[in-house]
Amino acid sequence: MIEKDLPEPEGKRVTVGPHTVHYIDLGDGPPTVFLHGGGPGCSGWTDFGTVADAFAGDRQVLLLDMLHFGRSSKEPIRAPRWSYHAQVIAGALEAIGVTEADFVCNSVGGSAALALAAERPDLVRRLVLTGSEPTPRGAVPPTEELGRKGATAYGTYYDEEGPTPEKLLAIMAELEWHDPAGIPRWTFDLRWELSRDPDLLALGPDWSAAGGRGIPQDLAAHLGAVRAPTLLLWGERDAFLVPDYALGLTRLMPDASLHVMADGAHHMEEERPEEYTAIVKAFLDA
């Protein structure tokens, strides 16, 4: 791991119904919401801290922790998963005072943003997605082994003896980074801390509706209603889904394009922040 430090800034909180949403607010300019991935301990800062300053130079950067992640609250979800997350995000933006924003998303954050873009198009101007799986249709992992590891990683992390540093490092090294030697120590340490939140441990390893994670939701029917221009920024070596899956998504959306980053993995915003930032900024500023 790389021995560098990137301290987490002090965050803010808003109340949305029974939930508390934590976010970090940096910079000034067009509002840009960053939504993290779904790995253990992921948060707005763990996933996008490496690029936050680069965007905050001319944008208002809002790093939101989704419900069940980071420093947001952990109440069970009993409704369709992505639509519920979208409703909570919409409520948080209303409380913050944002009426329209660009969205930059990793993995599960992209699925929530797509539900939001279809159900509340007034809130979403442009959208960038990396490694998201809004529909299981056409979903193909690079290998059977990686597909198995990806599908069971979260449950395995929390089952039996519970979280361990070794489990977390294996997930990050095998599924999220192309070069594990580039994992920053600060990212690992913060994810290790956040992944052991007592309320999160109480939810347990079950990602089904019974486990309080929401009713599984296929967003295939939503995709045609997403009017916001969308960039699918995919890693050639994403361990969860091959770029052909992302290409298939572009055919289901009215205004979507695909950029494949050579040797990119699942967390390109962390592993290759300068290249990632340049591509995303060019799209958002077009």
Side-chain angles (χ1 to χ4, degrees):
M1 284 188 277
I2 298 175
E3 296 294 337
K4 62 180 291 187
D5 193 24
L6 194 60
E8 181 184 20
E10 184 176 353
K12 304 176 181 180
R13 287 177 169 81
V14 291
T15 299
V16 182
H19 311 302
T20 300
V21 176
H22 172 269
Y23 68 101
I24 294 170
D25 187 349
L26 303 171
D28 188 39
T32 309
V33 177
F34 291 77
L35 297 176
H36 55 79
C42 280
S43 70
W45 185 252
T46 66
D47 281 22
F48 291 103
T50 51
V51 299
D53 281 349
F55 283 93
D58 57 4
R59 289 177 170 268
Q60 180 187 16
V61 169
L62 297 168
L63 306 174
L64 261 66
D65 291 349
M66 291 169 55
L67 190 64
H68 294 174
F69 290 93
R71 303 190 188 282
S72 290
S73 58
K74 312 295 190 298
E75 296 82 12
I77 298 174
R78 305 298 182 191
R81 180 180 298 152
W82 304 125
S83 290
Y84 195 84
H85 277 294
Q87 292 168 22
V88 174
I89 292 165
L93 293 181
E94 181 180 358
I96 295 167
V98 173
T99 57
E100 183 185 59
D102 292 326
F103 284 76
V104 181
C105 313
N106 180 273
S107 196
V108 300
S111 295
L114 284 168
L116 182 68
E119 296 172 9
R120 287 291 309 275
D122 57 301
L123 289 175
V124 183
R125 192 189 77 94
R126 283 185 170 240
L127 182 59
V128 179
L129 310 175
T130 294
S132 302
E133 187 182 345
T135 174
R137 305 178 195 185
V140 178
T143 67
E144 182 178 345
E145 180 183 7
L146 285 175
R148 184 170 60 254
K149 287 182 177 180
T152 60
Y154 197 91
T156 300
Y157 185 70
Y158 285 103
D159 70 5
E160 297 179 354
E161 78 276 18
T164 68
E166 292 77 18
K167 284 183 181 181
L168 180 59
L169 184 58
I171 288 171
M172 296 174 73
E174 295 175 13
L175 298 174
E176 298 176 353
W177 261 257
H178 175 52
D179 179 7
I183 297 174
R185 167 65 66 176
W186 73 266
T187 307
F188 177 84
D189 288 345
L190 183 54
R191 285 183 58 172
W192 171 238
E193 173 195 337
L194 295 174
S195 72
R196 293 176 295 129
D197 179 286
D199 292 334
L200 184 60
L201 294 175
L203 277 177
D206 187 356
W207 256 73
S208 72
R213 307 291 182 154
I215 300 168
Q217 189 175 14
D218 183 347
L219 293 178
H222 280 63
L223 298 180
V226 176
R227 301 301 171 186
T230 301
L231 173 65
L232 296 163
L233 175 51
W234 224 259
E236 178 191 19
R237 297 180 182 273
D238 189 290
F240 291 88
L241 296 162
V242 297
D244 280 352
Y245 172 78
L247 182 61
L249 293 181
T250 68
R251 296 178 177 133
L252 299 175
M253 302 172 68
D255 189 359
S257 57
L258 170 64
H259 180 103
V260 178
M261 188 183 292
D263 287 333
H266 198 60
H267 279 229
M268 295 177 291
E269 70 278 7
E270 298 183 76
E271 190 168 12
R272 292 165 60 181
E274 293 182 1
E275 185 177 355
Y276 177 91
T277 298
I279 295 167
V280 173
K281 276 194 166 187
F283 174 75
L284 296 182
D285 294 341

